[in-house]
Amino acid sequence: MNKQKIIVMGVSGCGKSLIGSLLAEHLGLSFYDGDDFHPPENVEKMRQGTPLNDHDRREWLHTLNQLITSKPNAVVACSGLKPQYRELLRQGNEATLIYLKGDIDTIWKRHQQREGHYFNGRGMLESQFGDLIEPLTDEAVHIDIDQPVEDVLNDILKAMDDPLAHPTRS
């Protein structure tokens, strides 16, 4: 198997963990949720409803870069909101970037259905949208999340030229 590294990015609640884990399962790769690698002080800030800043994210992004570098085949879910974050994540790695794109109202509805997640409040989601600088189409595969999960996954597989992707439904 060729080395395959994939980063699934987008704001909190866009489906990075779910889609990333399903994609990893489909491709036979390991899955890593970037949220699991936040230092405790970041988690506490988010629990309190305080958005992270560039300084807060720096150590976390370095940790994820080391993870991606150390794994020959992996799918990693990470917000990757800014170009400099994505550059840091991909430094030394040839990784495919998948951008899960949705509007704030759709994603906020998803947040309200989550239980037990430390991301706290619409203000934090608005902050992520404020920080988000969408990747260019030549930097990432853009996938619309306002569709069933199976279709999101299928769109990713088609974009990656996976022979097991289902034909487009009419």
Side-chain angles (χ1 to χ4, degrees), residues 138-161:
D138 64 349
E139 179 189 1
V141 175
H142 289 229
I143 302 293
D144 177 15
I145 63 161
D146 195 14
Q147 56 182 334
V149 169
E150 298 79 24
D151 292 342
V152 170
L153 182 61
N154 195 53
D155 285 353
I156 293 170
L157 294 171
K158 284 191 293 189
M160 296 177 66
D161 294 325

Side-chain angles (χ1 to χ4, degrees):
M1 171 189 234
N2 292 334
K3 288 200 277 187
Q4 193 166 20
K5 298 178 185 203
I6 301 167
I7 300 168
V8 180
M9 66 152 290
V11 298
S12 179
C14 70
K16 295 181 301 290
S17 299
L18 175 61
I19 297 299
S21 63
L22 292 171
L23 181 62
E25 182 180 333
H26 176 85
L27 297 174
L29 306 176
S30 299
F31 173 72
Y32 301 92
D33 191 331
D35 285 346
D36 295 340
F37 294 87
H38 273 294
E41 52 272 13
N42 284 6
V43 173
E44 188 54 35
K45 260 184 116 168
M46 290 185 280
R47 271 202 178 104
Q48 293 175 11
T50 305
L52 300 180
N53 59 38
D54 289 349
H55 177 75
D56 297 327
R57 291 183 178 111
R58 187 150 188 78
E59 175 188 340
W60 173 64
L61 292 166
H62 278 289
T63 299
L64 291 177
N65 172 266
Q66 291 171 352
L67 172 72
I68 295 165
T69 301
S70 71
K71 304 295 180 187
N73 299 293
V75 176
V76 176
C78 174
S79 54
L81 300 174
K82 296 180 180 181
Q84 62 264 35
Y85 299 171
R86 298 188 290 269
E87 288 171 17
L88 183 68
L89 289 168
R90 294 165 94 181
Q91 188 174 27
N93 294 296
E94 287 188 34
T96 300
L97 190 63
I98 307 292
Y99 171 44
L100 300 181
K101 182 177 181 170
D103 65 79
I104 194 166
D105 292 328
T106 299
I107 294 172
W108 178 241
K109 286 177 189 170
R110 291 178 179 195
H111 265 283
Q112 292 175 307
Q113 296 170 358
R114 286 173 125 179
E115 292 183 18
H117 196 275
Y118 53 76
F119 194 91
N120 187 2
R122 184 171 172 116
M124 285 186 56
L125 182 59
E126 290 169 352
S127 173
Q128 281 206 336
F129 269 95
D131 285 349
L132 175 65
I133 299 171
E134 291 188 351
L136 301 174
T137 55
D138 64 349
E139 179 189 1
V141 175
H142 289 229
I143 302 293
D144 177 15
I145 63 161
D146 195 14
Q147 56 182 334
V149 169
E150 298 79 24
D151 292 342
V152 170
L153 182 61
N154 195 53
D155 285 353
I156 293 170
L157 294 171
K158 284 191 293 189
M160 296 177 66
D161 294 325
D162 186 300
L164 297 178
H166 300 289
T168 305
R169 297 188 244 309
S170 14

